[in-house]
Amino acid sequence: MKNKILFSFILLNLTALAALDPSTAIEKLKLKELSKTYPKEKVQNSLKGYKNIKSESLESLSDKAVLIDLNITTVDLLNKKDYSTISNYVDDFLDMNENSLGNISDKNILERVSKKWSATVAPKDTLLLNNLNIALANGLMTGYNLKNINEYANFKKELTASYGHNDITHALQLISLLKSEGLDAKIQLEPKTSAFLHNPNWGSPNYDHTILEDGKIVLTPTEYDLKFEFKNVNDKIKFTKIIDRYAKKDSKDQEGLIYKSWWQPFVQTDKIEGYNMLISHLVKNGNFEANVLTLPKNSEAFIKAMKKESTLEVTAQEIWVNPAFYRFMEGNYK
């Protein structure tokens, strides 16, 4: 028992040493001048319950008070000398590659997501569209997505899940649902042009479309991927279960689902239990990149065909998707 306590004590102190202390964080966040405006009374009000309030300098306490007021940390964490949330915040602040609209917990996150969608310009790249439409018509894939790489979330891969849909009301209800279920995560909306062959049995096309030389019609609706970066892998797994429960249709008139749920929702992530592997083929031209998903057995044929028919470079990688979407890739509709 003593060894366990000693180990926990050592681990806690090593974590504290590895994390940024509050004053260093204030410097990195460029908030030092703000900190110096804090009078003693304001500092004391912000740091109620802080056990070292009488022994530390006003400068040190002011730095901590600023971090408290910005909800970057709490008095309880400061008392434990747990600076991990401070370090995480500073890392995110300094990461210029990351694109985030905010967090699920933000009060105005629905407004931000809605405005981003309303201002969306459908990604288009003639070279990629022409080459991939030929491959689509030749049966080398069931469809593809096209994005502007400047919209990428660039979140931490192991904590990220991607969710695809085409209706913004569905997205807003999903975010609200996740919040009601106690989940928080960073969010980015990545607009995409999706492409797939039109089935004549569907009637006249009701999306933007391109008619190929052989008469086949490629539908190109504007859709989106919602990218979520969760706090831990367990939260990401909880997200996948919420999708199965509230956003997957299992019968025609099923109730208790969020708006316009699909038979086969599309969730993509790192490898997790119960998910199936697909091959993602990335084909890039300038600021635009297409993502072509295939079953593993069809990957080699697609890569060979692309090398034969075009000079575009194809990068292949393994991804994991939910069982319902995997069944769609196999040709099933449920």
Side-chain angles (χ1 to χ4, degrees), residues 17-257:
L17 286 172
L20 281 178
D21 67 272
S23 292
T24 302
I26 288 293
E27 293 286 355
K28 288 183 175 292
L29 294 171
K30 301 186 184 302
L31 295 172
K32 196 62 184 176
E33 291 76 15
L34 172 64
S35 176
K36 289 179 178 179
T37 69
Y38 272 49
K40 186 176 181 179
E41 184 181 351
K42 186 174 182 179
V43 169
Q44 290 175 336
N45 187 57
S46 297
L47 290 177
K48 284 179 180 177
Y50 181 53
K51 62 185 182 182
N52 295 329
I53 198 163
K54 293 183 178 180
S55 60
E56 293 184 14
S57 68
L58 180 60
E59 182 180 4
S60 175
L61 293 171
S62 296
D63 290 343
K64 293 180 175 67
V66 170
L67 298 174
I68 291 283
D69 290 349
L70 292 175
N71 294 320
I72 295 172
T73 189
T74 65
V75 168
D76 184 51
L77 290 174
L78 290 177
N79 281 333
K80 296 175 182 176
K81 292 190 181 298
D82 182 349
Y83 302 149
S84 58
T85 58
I86 297 174
S87 291
N88 290 337
Y89 185 92
V90 173
D91 286 345
D92 286 342
F93 179 83
L94 297 176
D95 184 1
M96 294 296 105
N97 291 319
E98 183 182 284
N99 287 319
S100 172
L101 292 173
N103 283 55
I104 290 173
S105 57
D106 294 347
K107 289 183 179 179
N108 61 345
I109 190 62
L110 298 183
E111 178 187 357
R112 290 182 216 155
V113 172
S114 182
K115 283 185 175 180
K116 173 75 182 285
W117 179 246
S118 66
T120 288
V121 176
K124 300 290 183 184
D125 183 88
T126 303
L127 179 64
L128 288 174
L129 290 172
N130 288 343
N131 279 275
L132 291 173
N133 283 346
I134 293 172
L136 180 60
N138 289 336
L140 296 173
M141 55 177 159
T142 59
Y144 62 89
N145 297 320
L146 181 68
K147 293 181 180 179
N148 186 324
I149 62 174
N150 295 312
E151 300 283 357
Y152 283 179
N154 297 321
F155 290 157
K156 294 172 185 172
K157 187 177 179 183
E158 67 277 10
L159 298 177
T160 298
S162 175
Y163 181 80
H165 207 276
N166 63 0
D167 189 280
I168 193 59
T169 300
H170 181 89
L172 300 180
Q173 288 195 11
L174 175 59
I175 293 167
S176 301
L177 173 63
L178 296 177
K179 187 172 185 177
S180 74
E181 292 289 318
L183 284 179
D184 197 13
K186 297 176 189 174
I187 301 177
Q188 171 66 340
L189 184 144
E190 297 179 353
K192 63 184 182 182
T193 296
S194 294
F196 50 91
L197 286 177
H198 175 69
N199 187 325
N201 295 324
W202 296 343
S204 300
N206 55 357
Y207 290 121
D208 290 342
H209 58 276
T210 300
I211 302 176
L212 304 180
E213 290 183 2
D214 61 1
K216 291 179 179 177
I217 298 174
V218 179
L219 302 180
T220 54
T222 304
E223 300 184 338
Y224 60 79
D225 283 332
L226 278 178
K227 298 290 177 124
F228 297 99
E229 182 185 300
F230 294 96
K231 293 180 178 180
N232 53 62
V233 175
N234 286 338
D235 280 358
K236 183 169 72 168
I237 292 172
K238 183 179 179 181
F239 163 77
T240 66
K241 296 183 184 302
I242 289 172
I243 295 299
D244 289 341
R245 171 65 182 84
Y246 297 105
K248 187 200 175 307
K249 185 185 289 188
D250 290 311
S251 60
K252 185 178 180 182
D253 298 316
Q254 184 176 347
E255 296 183 352
L257 302 177

Side-chain angles (χ1 to χ4, degrees), residues 163-166 170 243-255 257-267 322-329 332-334:
Y163 181 80
H165 207 276
N166 63 0
H170 181 89
I243 295 299
D244 289 341
R245 171 65 182 84
Y246 297 105
K248 187 200 175 307
K249 185 185 289 188
D250 290 311
S251 60
K252 185 178 180 182
D253 298 316
Q254 184 176 347
E255 296 183 352
L257 302 177
I258 59 174
Y259 184 74
K260 289 197 174 179
S261 293
W262 286 352
W263 292 98
Q264 293 154 317
F266 176 32
V267 182
N322 53 315
F325 187 79
Y326 189 82
R327 290 193 291 272
F328 164 75
M329 293 295 294
N332 298 317
Y333 82 97
K334 287 186 178 180

